[in-house]
Amino acid sequence: MDLLKFKKQDRELRVLFASSEVAPYSKVGGLADVVGELPIYLDKQNVECAVFTPLYGCIDVEKYNIQELKNSELKISLGHSEHIFKLRFCQIPNTQVKVFFIDNPKYYSCFNVVYPKWCDEMYEMQRYVSFCLATLEYAKLLNFKPDIIHANDWHSAMLPVYLKSNYKYDEFYKDTKSIFTIHNLAYQGTCDKSIIDFANMRWDNVYKDNCLEHFGKVNWVKGALYCADKITTVSQRYAQEILEGDFSEGMGYTLRGQTYKLCGILNGTTYDKKFNIKEKAKFKEEIQRAFGLPQNPDRPLIAMISRLTYQKGLDLVDFAKFELKNQPADFVFLGSGEDRYQNMLIWLSNNSSNIRSWIDFKADLSEKIYKASDLFLMPSLFEPCGISQMIAMKYGSVPIVRATGGLDDTVVAYPNSKATGFKFLGYDSQSMVNEIKNAIWTYYDRKDDFKNIIKNCLETKFSWEESAKKYKFLYLDSLNRKNF
């Protein structure tokens, strides 16, 4: 297929999304779900969207019918050498949303994972600098002139900086505004300042306190915060939390100077078909059997599906492991990540009668666990939004969460007639255990209350339609157009 040329459509807005991962093609965390789903709902609201992402070796080209565009070879000089890129694309079924995959064997397709471990810092920066620069050049070749460029996390934080520096006087982008979404401020793209030469940026334009310079290094997120026209986080609470304290990750001073363009927009999830709660017993039996747990339909099953990182509260599970072994409930853990947490969960599986873990991530098993579990544990240290609690709720699995970020925004704590879960405030193992005990006690002794919580969960909707409306409003506002 030849290189496409976008024609002017009768659409209200044109938005270019850039992301290091896009579901279902490449997925590590919630970022992939957002960029894979939000454009679909914007498309329904008369917004033309195109998504750009790297073509990693782990992406199944045949499965998703990702086609190579002929005559798409692009040569860009970066640093002291010339780099060659190619372009592939597919279209999200039943929409006009096109996903473009930037191919380069040196930086993307040579890896069978999205984020390779033990990667050299400067090489990792080069991967995404080159991705951002190629995205801007390909948009011009495709004649996709965006009203908005929507960058996501540090991997595409270079885009707002490029628009205010190298492309400031480019006729093609003269009216383009940029939105930068913080999905997780803990990752900022900090590296040695020599990356500026590789990026073909002028030092006097970008290496200064109100742009990339941060304690003698380059910080791409800081640059995006200054250069973007609007900044969003993925929940209202997280937008407040990052202004000061530990959650600001050293960016509090910078962010407090940018509050006039900062807002929180909660992520959503899809609601294809309402879950029949009567089917939970069937899935519960299947999961109990698969994990070697007693076949007891009346014993609560508590699940945790997560990346195994410090952010997700695995330290609390470690500290509380001996108490969890003695609870009148079963626990199932699914996920992979840091070795220390993987080893801890394996040890628990081998040394307890009620705790089991699967160190991996399997989408089909994940869905079955959501459907099978009675309670869903998310004891996060911080959680910018969190999608797992939303998914759990739509399957009637009652969340037990720490009151932080999006978890606090989305879960109404018991006791309350509108309760959708259980919440604890302090980040300590005893607070978590007390709330788990409260949930187990409610399950056994307050059956009517627990049924009402499940009912509230099933009726609660965090739809992408609402999120898309808010993003469209933000896009129009950044363009100084009349909001709808």
Side-chain angles (χ1 to χ4, degrees):
M1 181 175 289
D2 289 329
L3 192 67
L4 303 171
K5 289 288 185 180
F6 280 83
K7 298 178 182 178
K8 186 172 178 62
Q9 295 188 20
D10 187 21
R11 307 293 288 274
E12 194 171 354
L13 281 167
R14 179 177 268 185
V15 179
L16 185 158
F17 279 84
S19 175
S20 60
E21 50 184 280
V22 180
Y25 315 106
S26 56
K27 175 176 165 59
V28 175
L31 167 61
D33 294 311
V34 174
V35 184
E37 295 175 0
L38 176 57
I40 297 173
Y41 291 86
L42 286 167
D43 180 69
K44 296 175 182 178
Q45 298 194 27
N46 201 28
V47 177
E48 183 183 10
C49 298
V51 181
F52 285 76
T53 193
L55 182 71
Y56 305 108
C58 57
I59 294 176
D60 193 329
V61 173
E62 292 185 5
K63 177 180 178 180
Y64 298 113
N65 192 29
I66 299 172
Q67 303 175 45
E68 183 176 348
L69 294 174
K70 296 178 182 177
N71 305 315
S72 67
E73 186 172 289
L74 176 66
K75 296 179 181 179
I76 301 178
S77 293
L78 290 159
H80 300 291
S81 60
E82 189 174 66
H83 297 257
I84 299 175
F85 301 86
K86 290 186 178 180
L87 197 64
R88 291 175 178 260
F89 102 106
C90 69
Q91 195 156 313
I92 298 177
N94 304 315
T95 75
Q96 296 185 53
V97 179
K98 292 179 173 64
V99 182
F100 292 95
F101 300 87
I102 295 176
D103 186 16
N104 179 289
K106 179 179 179 180
Y107 290 127
Y108 320 126
S109 54
C110 56
F111 294 107
N112 204 36
V113 293
V114 176
Y115 309 121
K117 291 183 178 180
W118 316 119
C119 194
D120 177 76
E121 177 186 84
M122 187 55 62
Y123 175 77
E124 183 74 354
M125 294 300 124
Q126 290 175 3
R127 294 177 80 206
Y128 292 106
V129 167
S130 61
F131 163 63
C132 289
L133 199 50
T135 293
L136 290 167
E137 289 301 310
Y138 270 123
K140 293 172 75 171
L141 289 175
L142 295 164
N143 196 35
F144 187 82
K145 188 174 184 178
D147 297 301
I148 300 290
I149 290 180
H150 192 150
N152 296 271
D153 269 354
W154 79 262
H155 317 88
S156 51
M158 302 82 177
L159 289 168
V161 181
Y162 270 126
L163 286 178
K164 291 294 173 71
S165 56
N166 294 38
Y167 290 82
K168 185 175 182 179
Y169 300 107
D170 191 303
E171 185 68 19
F172 189 81
Y173 289 111
K174 69 173 185 177
D175 298 319
T176 299
K177 302 295 184 181
S178 62
I179 308 293
F180 180 64
T181 296
I182 303 168
H183 296 263
N184 192 333
L185 193 58
Y187 305 99
Q188 297 179 8
T190 302
C191 66
D192 185 79
K193 55 192 177 183
S194 62
I195 192 67
I196 294 174
D197 290 328
F198 179 85
N200 296 333
M201 291 179 175
R202 278 178 47 181
W203 285 68
D204 59 328
N205 280 347
V206 299
Y207 194 66
K208 48 191 176 183
D209 182 53
N210 62 343
C211 194
L212 292 178
E213 193 278 328
H214 192 65
F215 295 102
K217 285 195 164 190
V218 160
N219 185 305
W220 290 112
V221 165
K222 182 182 177 184
L225 296 179
Y226 276 111
C227 295
D229 296 287
K230 298 287 183 181
I231 305 164
T232 70
T233 64
V234 287
S235 72
Q236 294 91 337
R237 174 70 185 272
Y238 192 58
Q240 298 169 352
E241 289 177 337
I242 60 175
L243 294 177
E244 56 187 345
D246 292 340
F247 295 156
S248 70
E249 303 289 348
M251 280 291 129
Y253 176 81
T254 299
L255 280 161
R256 287 193 296 275
Q258 309 298 313
T259 52
Y260 68 97
K261 57 183 180 183
L262 172 67
C263 70
I265 300 177
L266 192 68
N267 286 341
T269 188
T270 54
Y271 295 87
D272 298 327
K273 183 180 177 182
K274 188 173 182 179
F275 178 63
N276 184 354
I277 198 66
K278 293 179 181 179
E279 294 184 355
K280 185 170 285 289
K282 176 186 70 175
F283 286 104
K284 189 173 181 178
E285 181 183 354
E286 182 180 348
I287 291 299
Q288 286 174 333
R289 189 186 312 111
F291 281 83
L293 293 167
Q295 303 283 289
N296 186 344
D298 299 321
R299 185 175 166 91
L301 179 64
I302 303 174
M304 183 173 178
I305 301 171
S306 174
R307 288 182 292 112
L308 305 182
T309 67
Y310 80 99
Q311 174 199 340
K312 299 299 182 178
L314 274 301
D315 287 330
L316 302 190
V317 175
D318 192 12
F319 288 131
K321 57 181 176 285
F322 295 108
E323 285 201 70
L324 298 182
K325 287 171 64 175
N326 295 315
Q327 296 306 311
D330 295 322
F331 295 82
V332 170
F333 294 87
L334 175 66
S336 62
E338 296 178 31
D339 289 342
R340 54 178 170 157
Y341 300 129
Q342 292 186 167
N343 293 336
M344 178 265 293
L345 291 176
I346 291 170
W347 183 89
L348 272 174
S349 292
N350 294 336
N351 293 276
S352 64
S353 61
N354 67 326
I355 301 174
R356 297 290 183 269
S357 59
W358 188 297
I359 305 302
D360 194 2
F361 180 79
K362 294 183 179 294
D364 55 345
L365 179 60
S366 170
E367 185 174 348
K368 287 180 180 178
I369 292 173
Y370 278 118
K371 292 177 178 178
S373 56
D374 301 293
L375 293 153
F376 194 87
L377 181 62
M378 291 185 74
S380 303
L381 171 62
F382 63 95
E383 195 64 65
C385 177
I387 292 178
S388 294
Q389 80 279 14
M390 300 179 187
I391 299 172
M393 287 161 70
K394 74 179 180 181
Y395 289 127
S397 181
V398 178
I400 306 171
V401 305
R402 195 173 92 82
T404 183
L407 299 178
D408 199 28
D409 283 345
T410 55
V411 178
V412 178
Y414 176 82
N416 185 314
S417 61
K418 296 181 180 179
T420 55
F422 299 85
K423 289 199 283 194
F424 61 98
L425 184 60
Y427 188 71
D428 61 275
S429 60
Q430 197 55 56
S431 294
M432 180 188 76
V433 169
N434 289 343
E435 207 55 47
I436 290 173
K437 288 179 177 178
N438 184 26
I440 294 172
W441 171 73
T442 306
Y443 177 91
Y444 281 120
D445 296 343
R446 297 283 181 90
K447 295 185 183 296
D448 288 341
D449 284 3
F450 198 81
K451 287 179 181 177
N452 185 60
I453 297 172
I454 293 174
K455 177 176 175 289
N456 291 340
C457 284
L458 294 172
E459 291 177 352
T460 300
K461 296 286 187 292
F462 299 101
S463 70
W464 273 118
E465 285 91 345
E466 288 303 311
S467 301
K469 286 179 183 177
K470 292 177 181 178
Y471 274 111
K472 183 179 177 182
F473 184 95
L474 189 71
Y475 297 155
L476 291 168
D477 185 53
S478 67
L479 293 164
N480 295 317
R481 293 187 191 174
K482 185 178 179 181
N483 291 318
F484 62 98

